[in-house]
Amino acid sequence: APAMNIHRDPCCGRNFEYHSEDPYVTATIVSAMVEGVQEYGVAATIKHFAANNTEYQRLRSNSRIAARAFREIYARAFERVIRDADPYSIMTSYNYINGIKSSEDPVLCKTIMRDEFGFKGVLMSDFGNDSVHVKELMAEHDLKMHFGDPRSVEAALADGSLSRESVRKCVKRILEMISKTAGKRI
């Protein structure tokens, strides 16, 4: 936590966890929460990146969003929290965004979050996400929760479709998060 999706649908089953329909208000509240939690050596995980506004068929829902709406409504709060509070991790959402699983999308995970927003922490999937582990690693998505697919990762490393350097980057980010939290007392 904290969960920070935008209130867009009054029927969203998790609105009680979210803070506002406004990205600025959401980012202001969540940034303060992240700073407070991480002050004590605990990793805050902002979630669910992005456009996670329904629980109905959440593993199959496809959020169809124009680029401008995505940037101004759904990604804006995440951008501000990343820049203002430096969260240690981000959990991606179950849904597809414009036909691509959020955790498998290199544009979302690498280009937007890492290159544009400057996120340096751990990207983790939501628990039980059915996305393809190798595609997640290729997108610089670090951690498969609560299970991965080590056989497919080994096979992709063996056939060269997944580089060792990609995996090393993921492992490095996980170890860096552990070092930020190890040994600190609450």
Side-chain angles (χ1 to χ4, degrees):
M4 55 182 291
N5 292 100
I6 301 301
H7 289 187
R8 296 291 288 170
D9 180 351
C11 297
C12 178
R14 296 179 77 173
N15 275 345
F16 68 94
E17 291 182 65
Y18 307 148
H19 302 283
S20 173
E21 69 283 349
D22 180 80
Y24 179 82
V25 172
T26 296
T28 301
I29 293 167
V30 171
S31 289
M33 293 172 74
V34 168
E35 288 172 347
V37 166
Q38 291 184 168
E39 179 180 329
Y40 292 97
V42 175
T45 302
I46 59 174
K47 59 183 191 172
H48 306 89
F49 190 79
N52 184 46
N53 299 102
T54 183
E55 288 297 293
Y56 178 72
Q57 295 188 348
R58 66 184 180 175
L59 293 176
R60 291 184 300 237
S61 69
N62 186 15
S63 302
R64 307 286 301 167
I65 306 168
R68 181 176 178 182
F70 179 79
R71 294 288 188 150
E72 292 180 1
I73 298 169
Y74 299 100
R76 180 68 46 96
F78 285 91
E79 177 182 15
R80 277 210 46 232
V81 173
I82 289 166
R83 292 191 174 152
D84 295 350
D86 191 24
Y88 293 168
S89 65
I90 296 174
M91 180 178 281
T92 53
S93 53
Y94 288 115
N95 55 299
Y96 292 80
I97 299 175
N98 297 330
I100 303 171
K101 276 279 197 183
S102 65
S103 60
E104 297 174 357
D105 190 343
V107 173
L108 292 179
C109 296
K110 183 185 179 322
T111 305
I112 294 174
M113 279 201 280
R114 296 201 186 278
D115 298 342
E116 292 179 27
F117 296 173
F119 179 63
K120 295 182 181 17
V122 172
L123 279 176
M124 67 174 65
S125 66
D126 207 335
F127 285 75
N129 190 347
D130 64 353
S131 54
V132 177
H133 195 174
V134 171
K135 286 183 180 180
E136 289 178 340
L137 291 168
M138 288 178 183
E140 293 198 14
H141 194 280
D142 306 305
L143 188 59
K144 184 84 169 162
M145 299 299 286
H146 62 282
F147 61 90
D149 186 1
R151 288 190 181 122
S152 70
V153 172
E154 289 171 358
L157 285 167
D159 71 18
S161 59
L162 176 64
S163 74
R164 290 202 176 280
E165 184 56 31
S166 294
V167 175
R168 282 188 185 111
K169 285 181 183 179
C170 295
V171 170
K172 181 178 184 231
R173 286 188 288 264
I174 292 167
L175 293 174
E176 286 171 344
M177 183 174 74
I178 291 168
S179 73
K180 290 177 184 177
T181 59
K184 293 189 178 182
R185 300 205 189 277
I186 296 177

